[in-house]
């Protein structure tokens, strides 16, 4: 499955308004693929944003973000030098992935019938992070770099192997970093380390979900495309994003 999406350059004014609000409420300069995919499905972005907006605006999602990060243990990677911009890019993905895992798990679990709980402590969103270079498209990369990106994605063992985590694609701006990423991440890709850390992120997000559900906005009427989107949302909140959380946290240490 290759997900349809609407990137910034293709966004209508209404979609661009939501994207700008997402950046402001998460403190990140880019939009996660699951949101770009929602924008390509009639009515789905509005359905998703109406629910997530209050949790993001209030700091409830940021509080959950920080607690999920604290619950995920990752192996220490060897320290690695990187060009200017790489560490900032990794931090952008860390904040975005953790925030999205928190709030989107809550939206999904409410759609599955989970009841709201007691809201937990909120936290500041954090200072705005610098804008990274534009996200490349996989089909425009040189063949060797595209093969490296696909191999890194394959190491995640996703149930949909066509989904490529955007961080790997974004790191193609630094080919020398991309080329040594598999070796650097070997402690995570060896044995059950990635699976265990991914499962810990999923479990931590599920713990946060009832409290976050209490902070979500009312769900609008379900658009026709919602059942298919919820299946994709399950893939992203159970596999794609949770697996990138430990990768990003480990790279934070490596590039510090």
């Amino acid at each position: 499955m290759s997900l349809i999406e609407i990137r910034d350059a293709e966004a209508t004014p209404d979609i661009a308004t939501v994207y700008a609000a997402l950046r402001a409420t998460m403190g990140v300069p880019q939009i996660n693929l699951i949101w770009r995919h929602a924008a390509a499905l009639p009515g789905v972005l509005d359905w998703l944003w109406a629910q997530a907006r209050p949790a993001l605006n209030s700091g409830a999602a940021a509080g959950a973000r920080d607690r999920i990060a604290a619950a995920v243990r990752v192996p220490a990677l060897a320290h690695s030098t990187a060009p200017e911009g790489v560490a900032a890019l990794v931090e952008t993905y860390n904040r975005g992935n953790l925030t999205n895992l928190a709030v989107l798990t809550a939206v999904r679990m409410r759609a599955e019938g989970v009841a709201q709980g007691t809201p937990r402590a909120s936290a500041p969103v954090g200072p705005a992070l610098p804008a990274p270079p534009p996200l490349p498209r996989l089909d425009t990369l040189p063949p060797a770099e595209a093969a490296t990106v696909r191999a890194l994605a394959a190491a995640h063992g996703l149930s949909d192997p066509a989904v490529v985590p955007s961080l790997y694609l974004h790191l193609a701006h630094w080919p020398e970093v991309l080329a040594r990423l598999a070796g650097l991440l070997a402690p995570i890709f060896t044995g059950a380390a990635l699976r265990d850390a991914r499962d810990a992120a999923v479990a931590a997000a599920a713990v946060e979900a009832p409290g976050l559900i209490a902070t979500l906005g009312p769900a609008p009427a379900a658009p026709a495309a919602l059942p298919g989107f919820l299946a994709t949302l399950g893939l992203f909140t159970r596999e794609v994003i949770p697996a990138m959380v430990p990768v990003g946290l480990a790279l934070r240490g490596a590039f510090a």
Side-chain angles (χ1 to χ4, degrees):
M1 173 182 67
S2 179
L3 294 180
I4 59 172
E5 59 174 301
I6 294 181
R7 296 192 176 199
D8 287 272
E10 306 152 347
T12 64
D14 287 348
I15 292 172
T17 296
V18 175
Y19 284 1
L22 278 166
R23 290 188 179 92
T25 55
M26 291 192 194
V28 294
Q30 63 189 35
I31 306 302
N32 187 284
L33 174 57
I34 190 64
W35 289 94
R36 303 196 308 267
H37 175 57
L41 303 173
V44 172
L45 181 62
D46 291 339
W47 179 88
L48 188 58
W49 175 237
Q51 296 177 78
R53 178 174 53 196
L56 293 168
N57 281 333
S58 67
R65 168 201 73 193
D66 294 347
R67 288 186 291 273
I68 293 169
V72 178
R73 299 287 179 263
V74 295
L77 306 184
H79 183 265
S80 181
T81 58
E84 184 178 357
V86 171
L89 177 71
V90 168
E91 203 52 40
T92 291
Y93 275 90
N94 282 338
R95 186 184 294 179
N97 282 331
L98 286 159
T99 308
N100 279 303
L101 179 59
V103 73
L104 296 177
T105 296
V107 170
R108 190 202 83 224
M109 290 180 67
R110 179 161 78 169
E112 294 169 349
V114 174
Q116 71 179 46
T118 302
R120 303 185 72 183
S122 60
V125 170
L129 296 170
L135 180 64
R137 294 184 183 273
L138 186 60
D139 58 6
T140 66
L141 295 182
E145 292 171 20
T148 299
V149 169
R150 290 191 181 96
L152 288 164
H156 287 233
L158 298 173
S159 58
D160 185 345
V163 174
V164 173
S166 296
L167 174 60
Y168 300 141
L169 191 55
H170 227 144
L171 284 171
H173 282 288
W174 296 274
E176 72 282 9
V177 174
L178 182 66
R180 53 189 164 91
L181 206 58
L184 184 62
L185 289 170
I188 289 180
F189 290 160
T190 300
L194 180 60
R195 183 198 65 201
D196 291 347
R198 179 201 67 198
D199 290 350
V202 171
V207 167
E208 296 292 333
L212 270 181
I213 288 171
T215 72
L216 297 178
L226 186 59
F229 176 74
L230 287 175
T232 304
L233 187 61
L235 172 68
F236 270 70
T237 54
R238 293 186 177 101
E239 295 185 39
V240 180
I241 300 176
M244 289 309 298
V245 165
V247 168
L249 293 176
L251 288 177
R252 172 194 282 170
F255 294 139

